[in-house]
Amino acid sequence: MFIMQLRKVTAASAAVLALALSATACGSSDKDDSGSSGGGKIKVGIKYDQPGLGLQEPDGSFSGFDVDVATYVAGQLGYKPSQIEFVQTKSADRENALARGDVKFIAATYSITDERKAKVDFAGPYLLAHQDLLVKKASTIAKGEDLNGKKLCSVTGSTSAQNIQQTIAPKANLKEVGTYSECIAGLQSGSVDAVTTDDSILAGFAAQDKYKGQFKLAGLKLSNENYGIGVKKGDTATVDKINKALEKMVSDGSWQKAVDKNFGPAEYKNEPAPKIGAIVK
């Protein structure tokens, strides 16, 4: 009789323990993105290697215009800065990261294009950038054609470099490297005469303390790049919430403050904040 009673007590205890463990597991999910009221976190995709836009600092913190935009938007969605987990999303993996659910949204110099819109949904745009040239302060390069016979640097496979070579300055001597940091170092040393990519990216590099006052943007506006916030295809509810957050960021002055803080030292003549849904071709 005693043994049977012991078995009953043991079984009951095990059942209680199993229920407790189950409740703990359900309450500790780090995939909870229900906002600060639920105590969860939100994962946001950014770049880690673009000064002025998305950069991981030596101490592990993050800085840049995209980071400021993402932080503001997440705040409007109900998340405190401590609840935001920034995830590195490289250009080639942005669509996959959203499709897999690795991140809730992506703010990473993500130009809105028809090809990308077939795979993801976009909120915004929140910045209109242009392909441009970065040159030394004393440079006489003032237009695209001036690059003929000059040394131009961009990253391998860059559409910006192809645009220069194919339509603007076919006699430019193109040097392709792995990162824009290498291009900027080459510009500083004099091994190249100009660097080309989006003006926002160039301004971010030029605004770094170690480069302040050395470079200037040519201001050529060789293309239109409408930066949007990428969201998983079909998640229209999140797109609507982000669009409202972006509108508020502009109206309360936070957008301009973020522009001034991140690009100001490069004397970046930014476009006014674009209207939601207004894509400039």
Side-chain angles (χ1 to χ4, degrees):
M1 178 66 73
F2 174 75
I3 293 175
M4 289 181 66
Q5 288 177 335
L6 180 61
R7 285 176 178 169
K8 287 180 181 179
V9 171
T10 302
S13 300
V16 171
L17 179 60
L19 284 170
L21 289 173
S22 176
T24 301
C26 290
S28 64
S29 172
D30 61 5
K31 292 186 178 181
D32 178 12
D33 59 3
S34 57
S36 57
S37 60
K41 286 184 176 291
I42 185 170
K43 293 183 178 180
V44 179
I46 61 168
K47 294 286 183 68
Y48 275 26
D49 59 353
Q50 290 186 339
L53 286 154
L55 182 70
Q56 185 175 39
E57 301 287 357
D59 64 359
S61 63
F62 298 94
S63 67
F65 181 70
D66 283 346
V67 173
D68 289 344
V69 170
T71 301
Y72 186 97
V73 167
Q76 294 300 303
L77 296 180
Y79 297 89
K80 300 174 183 176
S82 60
Q83 292 176 288
I84 303 171
E85 180 181 340
F86 288 116
V87 179
Q88 183 177 24
T89 49
K90 296 182 178 181
S91 296
D93 195 46
R94 287 179 295 204
E95 287 83 19
N96 290 332
L98 288 169
R100 292 191 301 260
D102 295 348
V103 293
K104 188 68 173 178
F105 65 83
I106 293 176
T109 61
Y110 205 178
S111 295
I112 301 172
T113 66
D114 291 338
E115 181 181 2
R116 289 169 178 167
K117 284 166 67 176
K119 301 175 183 177
V120 303
D121 286 338
F122 282 100
Y126 64 92
L127 184 72
L128 175 60
H130 306 282
Q131 182 187 345
D132 201 356
L133 302 175
L134 189 70
V135 296
K136 283 192 171 181
K137 278 276 189 176
S139 174
T140 58
I141 295 174
K143 56 186 185 295
E145 293 79 3
D146 293 341
L147 289 170
N148 284 309
K150 302 290 187 180
K151 296 176 183 176
L152 174 68
C153 188
S154 196
V155 297
T156 302
S158 163
T159 55
S160 298
Q162 293 170 12
N163 185 32
I164 295 287
Q165 280 203 313
Q166 294 172 6
T167 64
I168 298 172
K171 294 182 180 179
N173 299 316
L174 178 62
K175 178 180 181 180
E176 294 183 292
V177 296
T179 66
Y180 286 114
S181 295
E182 295 175 66
C183 282
I184 303 300
L187 183 61
Q188 184 184 41
S189 69
S191 62
V192 298
D193 300 301
V195 181
T196 188
T197 186
D198 296 357
D199 53 8
S200 58
I201 296 174
L202 296 172
F205 276 105
Q208 287 185 290
D209 287 339
K210 60 183 176 180
Y211 296 131
K212 280 182 182 177
Q214 297 182 43
F215 308 133
K216 65 181 179 182
L217 288 162
L220 302 187
K221 299 183 179 181
L222 300 174
S223 72
N224 295 318
E225 307 296 335
N226 300 269
Y227 289 176
I229 293 182
V231 176
K232 187 174 183 179
K233 190 70 177 175
D235 189 359
T236 55
T238 298
V239 170
D240 291 342
K241 290 177 183 177
I242 293 176
N243 279 336
K244 288 179 181 177
L246 292 174
E247 288 174 344
K248 184 177 180 181
M249 187 177 188
V250 173
S251 65
D252 70 12
S254 299
W255 184 89
Q256 189 60 51
K257 287 180 181 177
V259 168
D260 294 341
K261 182 182 80 171
N262 293 293
F263 303 129
E267 300 176 9
Y268 176 47
K269 295 178 177 61
N270 63 283
E271 297 279 4
K275 293 182 179 180
I276 299 302
I279 307 300
V280 180
K281 297 293 187 179

